[in-house]
Amino acid sequence: MVASNALHAKNGLTVEIDHRMEALSIFYTLATADTFDIKPTPSTYYKDLQEYFAPFKDHRSLNWYRNLKSWDGYDIASLGLFLSDRHPLKVKVQPEGHYIVSSPVDTFLYHFNNFYKECKVGEFIRRHGDLYRSICESAKGTIDTSGILGDIQAFYGKTSPGEFAVYLDLLNNMGNNAIPSDSKKFKGKRMFRLAYLNDKAKSLTNDDAVAFTPQLNIITQEISHLFLQSFIPSYRQELFTIRNLFLTTSKGETLKESQWENEADELIVRVCTAKILEQKFGKEKGSKEIENQSRHFRLAKPMYAFFDTYTSNRNEFKTFADFYPNLLRYLEGYNE
């Protein structure tokens, strides 16, 4: 077992590099190293990984994965949270998402566990325990120093209804993902895997230390899900009748009907995020964020303007939940 690198805080935020997630990320990175154009962000950590696993680059488990008809998405590492804590890693909690689609999960884990043991993955992770803790401390310090958690709570008018857990992925350079679960083990947690994206402006090399700086708009989005989780359940029947409002993108693409709840939720979260950034950093920051979101969500800009009704009348709306009826009426009466 590898010691935990989690940093807990009284403000309900934890930042962690989970050894099971990191092991899966290592496997995926090595198996696909010569295929994807997007490589892990250059760093001394990535150099250590390349040197340590060089003798195992043609390990039979890696070759098995390379020869599959299809591979999994960049969120594969998130499966780690649902596995046992010791080798051999087995599914202990049924995940809500399908992180392994390339093969049956048991088959994948059979090959992964062989790789883990024979290539001494646990030893590599243990060697970097101090580095992991230092990275987590720095990333959490960035979030704490920014004061963004207080800004989020002030916007919604209440404290967080749960714990926000950030899991850093040092090798993923493609994207972030929320990790949903209805399991009692994770009750009250909003979990999110954060990618170590490459800032090309810094021209990083494998001689640079990992400098993991969480993006505050992403942090705000994910925490906002905690505060807004009651809106759709409270008005599901009314929203269902106008579901088509959420199923057409800015580019005119029509999404599947089954996606309407997720699209409605994400729309509101993204608009609230832009408003929070506007209040914290100024109109330019908020406008930039909503411009980016409007590339997909066609209601983003008009709803952003409508939310001035909330931010300008906080004496009337003590919490964002108090604003829910107004939001529903706006959506029901929306005209192009």
Side-chain angles (χ1 to χ4, degrees):
M1 188 175 98
V2 180
S4 172
N5 301 293
L7 291 182
H8 299 267
K10 294 180 180 179
N11 58 14
L13 172 73
T14 64
V15 178
E16 181 175 357
I17 295 175
D18 183 273
H19 69 95
R20 300 161 300 178
M21 295 175 69
E22 194 63 15
L24 284 165
S25 193
I26 289 170
F27 178 86
Y28 187 72
T29 297
L30 294 174
T32 61
D34 297 325
T35 303
F36 291 142
D37 292 333
I38 300 176
K39 307 295 183 184
T41 296
S43 69
T44 53
Y45 178 71
Y46 184 40
K47 181 168 68 174
D48 286 349
L49 179 132
Q50 290 174 303
E51 292 177 352
Y52 183 92
F53 289 102
F56 309 110
K57 63 179 182 180
D58 290 320
H59 187 271
R60 57 196 175 95
S61 294
L62 297 176
N63 285 333
W64 166 81
Y65 192 81
R66 290 166 184 149
N67 289 322
L68 292 175
K69 291 183 179 179
S70 62
W71 294 340
D72 303 289
Y74 60 76
D75 60 349
I76 183 175
S78 297
L79 174 67
L81 289 185
F82 304 95
L83 302 181
S84 55
D85 199 52
R86 297 175 182 272
H87 182 274
L89 302 181
K90 302 176 181 179
V91 175
K92 298 295 289 185
V93 177
Q94 189 62 38
E96 187 172 319
H98 298 285
Y99 300 109
I100 305 296
V101 296
S102 58
S103 72
V105 175
D106 289 346
T107 303
F108 173 86
L109 289 177
Y110 169 79
H111 291 280
F112 169 73
N113 279 313
N114 285 338
F115 164 79
Y116 188 101
K117 179 180 179 181
E118 295 169 9
C119 301
K120 302 178 181 179
V121 176
E123 176 60 25
F124 177 84
I125 292 174
R126 279 189 289 273
R127 287 186 186 184
H128 291 83
D130 290 342
L131 175 66
Y132 296 156
R133 283 185 284 275
S134 175
I135 293 170
C136 290
E137 182 178 356
S138 176
K140 188 177 185 310
T142 298
I143 299 172
D144 288 343
T145 301
S146 73
I148 194 66
L149 299 180
D151 295 305
I152 294 170
Q153 292 179 349
F155 179 83
Y156 292 110
K158 61 179 183 178
T159 57
S160 174
E163 178 186 346
F164 182 63
V166 179
Y167 295 93
L168 307 183
D169 187 341
L170 303 184
L171 298 174
N172 171 42
N173 189 23
M174 287 183 276
N176 314 295
N177 74 286
I179 309 173
S181 178
D182 293 328
S183 170
K184 293 180 180 179
K185 179 179 179 180
F186 303 117
K187 185 177 182 180
K189 272 192 175 184
R190 176 75 186 182
M191 302 178 293
F192 188 65
R193 189 185 53 81
L194 208 59
Y196 183 35
L197 302 178
N198 189 1
D199 185 349
K200 294 183 178 180
K202 295 181 179 179
S203 300
L204 298 172
T205 71
N206 277 354
D207 292 323
D208 291 302
V210 174
F212 206 121
T213 304
Q215 298 178 359
L216 296 184
N217 62 329
I218 301 298
I219 296 297
T220 303
Q221 284 176 21
E222 290 308 311
I223 293 179
S224 289
H225 281 284
L226 281 173
F227 290 94
L228 296 168
Q229 59 188 348
S230 64
F231 176 68
I232 292 179
S234 298
Y235 300 102
R236 181 171 279 106
Q237 184 174 346
E238 294 89 340
L239 292 170
F240 181 77
T241 63
I242 58 171
R243 61 193 179 281
N244 290 334
L245 196 63
F246 312 112
L247 293 175
T248 303
T249 70
S250 297
K251 296 180 180 179
E253 178 187 5
T254 301
L255 305 175
K256 295 180 181 178
E257 184 172 308
S258 60
Q259 295 179 255
W260 80 265
E261 288 188 52
N262 181 69
E263 287 295 305
D265 180 53
E266 290 293 343
L267 167 65
I268 298 166
V269 163
R270 305 303 175 91
V271 176
C272 284
T273 293
K275 277 298 177 186
I276 292 169
L277 296 180
E278 175 192 296
Q279 291 193 327
K280 183 171 182 59
F281 299 109
K283 288 187 177 295
E284 183 178 352
K285 189 73 171 182
S287 297
K288 182 179 180 180
E289 180 68 20
I290 205 64
E291 182 68 34
N292 182 50
Q293 299 304 333
S294 68
R295 296 173 185 173
H296 175 80
F297 299 100
R298 67 188 181 96
L299 270 66
K301 285 185 177 179
M303 187 178 287
Y304 181 69
F306 169 69
F307 275 20
D308 284 341
T309 306
Y310 174 68
T311 56
S312 300
N313 296 280
R314 292 303 301 275
N315 288 333
E316 178 181 354
F317 306 112
K318 300 296 183 182
T319 71
F320 195 80
D322 296 334
F323 187 64
Y324 280 176
N326 298 65
L327 175 56
L328 178 64
R329 287 195 295 271
Y330 170 78
L331 292 171
E332 289 179 324
Y334 180 80
N335 293 309
E336 298 287 351

